[in-house]
């Protein structure tokens, strides 16, 4: 099983709404990631969780709040978003967290959540 | 800056033709990854290269990493419509001791029957 499951697949929300994106993997991976992808652009890293702890926050605005309740789940809580936050949000996981002293391990991606902020 | 340059940006080939996509970094990479993405969908892992001079193949796709670990190529032999999509190279760069995956801008491949 090399599946990363993201829900929902599509989400439309108003600027005053609070919503959450969910990501789940059962591969025993200890690193999980959130990426944001705008149309015709490559994915951009937002957050990295290593062993359920936030290890990297790429200067993401506080209206995006990640949470890792356990080693299989990763959430992204959304509040007071702007229309420019509309994008494809991708979750990924890898067996081990990224380290400077080794070559890393491949990351597996979910199908993404297409978010539209109106 | 820690950037990956991919070329070409887009490619249109006739079915059955061979093609090559390149990925270049100004810095030595720890690991180089190739992914394929259909529009609006998740990324499908293709291959990972870690050693200088390494070459891997899967079905009709071959990826190579040069000896300096700064350049990789993805070669598709006898392309088919199913190969169409966006090909992304990703690499590990050291950031404060961590090496999260960053991506090139992608190559959009169209295969014409």
């Amino acid at each position: 099983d090399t599946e990363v499951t993201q829900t929902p697949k599509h989400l439309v929300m108003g600027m005053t709404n609070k919503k959450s994106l969910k990501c789940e993997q059962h591969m025993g991976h200890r690193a999980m990631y959130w990426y944001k992808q705008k149309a015709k652009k490559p994915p951009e890293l937002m957050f990295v969780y290593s062993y359920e702890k936030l290890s990297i926050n790429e200067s993401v605005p506080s209206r995006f709040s990640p949470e890792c309740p356990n080693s299989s789940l990763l959430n992204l809580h959304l509040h007071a978003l702007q229309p420019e936050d509309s994008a494809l949000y991708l979750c990924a996981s890898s067996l081990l967290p990224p380290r400077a002293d080794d070559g890393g391990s491949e990351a597996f991606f979910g199908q993404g959540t297409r978010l539209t902020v109106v | 800056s820690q950037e990956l340059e991919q070329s070409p940006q887009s490619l249109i080939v006739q079915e059955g033709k061979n093609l090559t996509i390149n990925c270049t970094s100004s810095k030595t990479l720890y690991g180089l990854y190739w992914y394929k993405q259909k529009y609006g969908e998740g990324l499908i892992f293709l291959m990972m290269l870690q050693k200088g001079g390494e070459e891997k193949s899967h079905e009709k796709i071959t990826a190579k990493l040069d000896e300096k670990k700064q350049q990789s190529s993805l070669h598709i032999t006898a392309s088919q419509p199913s190969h169409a999509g966006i090909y992304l190279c990703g690499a590990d760069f050291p950031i404060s001791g961590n090496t999260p995956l960053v991506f090139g801008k992608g190559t959009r491949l169209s295969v014409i029957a």
Side-chain angles (χ1 to χ4, degrees):
Chain A
D1 179 14
T2 57
E3 193 170 324
V4 176
T5 304
Q6 285 188 246
T7 54
K9 285 188 169 46
H10 300 275
L11 179 63
V12 179
M13 61 184 289
M15 289 189 283
T16 58
N17 291 158
K18 285 185 181 180
K19 296 286 184 184
S20 297
L21 308 185
K22 296 184 185 301
C23 176
E24 192 168 358
Q25 57 86 16
H26 297 286
M27 295 178 277
H29 288 180
R30 303 313 301 273
M32 296 186 77
Y33 313 79
W34 280 115
Y35 283 84
K36 174 183 177 180
Q37 187 177 27
K38 301 284 277 186
K40 299 185 181 181
K41 298 286 185 183
E44 295 178 352
L45 183 68
M46 298 175 73
F47 302 104
V48 179
Y49 271 83
S50 301
Y51 298 99
E52 296 98 72
K53 287 190 169 58
L54 183 65
S55 61
I56 294 176
N57 177 340
E58 290 290 295
S59 303
V60 179
S62 59
R63 56 185 185 269
F64 295 92
S65 176
E67 179 198 19
C68 190
N70 59 56
S71 60
S72 299
L73 293 174
L74 184 66
N75 299 321
L76 186 63
H77 302 300
L78 314 172
H79 175 54
L81 294 194
Q82 303 296 312
E84 58 264 30
D85 296 321
S86 299
L88 181 68
Y89 288 83
L90 293 161
C91 172
S93 70
S94 63
L95 180 63
L96 296 173
R99 288 165 56 91
D101 57 355
D102 67 33
S105 56
E106 59 265 42
F108 295 92
F109 283 78
Q111 288 295 298
T113 294
R114 171 75 56 193
L115 174 67
T116 303
V117 182
V118 297
Chain B
S1 64
Q2 294 154 341
E3 290 185 349
L4 290 175
E5 294 291 329
Q6 266 189 257
S7 62
Q9 282 189 334
S10 63
L11 194 55
I12 303 173
V13 299
Q14 197 90 30
E15 183 178 359
K17 296 294 185 184
N18 303 336
L19 64 105
T20 300
I21 299 169
N22 294 300
C23 180
T24 303
S25 169
S26 57
K27 297 184 178 182
T28 299
L29 306 169
Y30 284 114
L32 190 288
Y33 308 80
W34 284 100
Y35 288 86
K36 179 185 174 185
Q37 185 179 30
K38 293 284 191 184
Y39 178 72
E41 298 181 8
L43 279 66
I44 299 168
F45 172 76
L46 296 176
M47 273 172 274
M48 177 176 75
L49 304 166
Q50 289 185 297
K51 299 175 184 174
E54 188 174 8
E55 179 176 323
K56 287 186 177 178
S57 293
H58 177 67
E59 297 181 344
K60 294 185 178 180
I61 300 176
T62 300
K64 299 178 185 180
L65 183 62
D66 74 338
E67 290 289 344
K68 288 185 178 179
K69 296 174 64 176
Q70 287 185 267
Q71 186 167 10
S72 178
S73 61
L74 186 82
H75 185 78
I76 299 177
T77 304
S79 58
Q80 299 169 352
S82 60
H83 288 127
I86 300 166
Y87 288 82
L88 290 154
C89 66
D92 295 327
F93 289 104
I95 299 177
S96 301
N98 292 310
T99 58
L101 195 59
V102 293
F103 290 93
K105 292 184 178 179
T107 295
R108 185 178 296 274
L109 173 64
S110 303
V111 180
I112 302 172

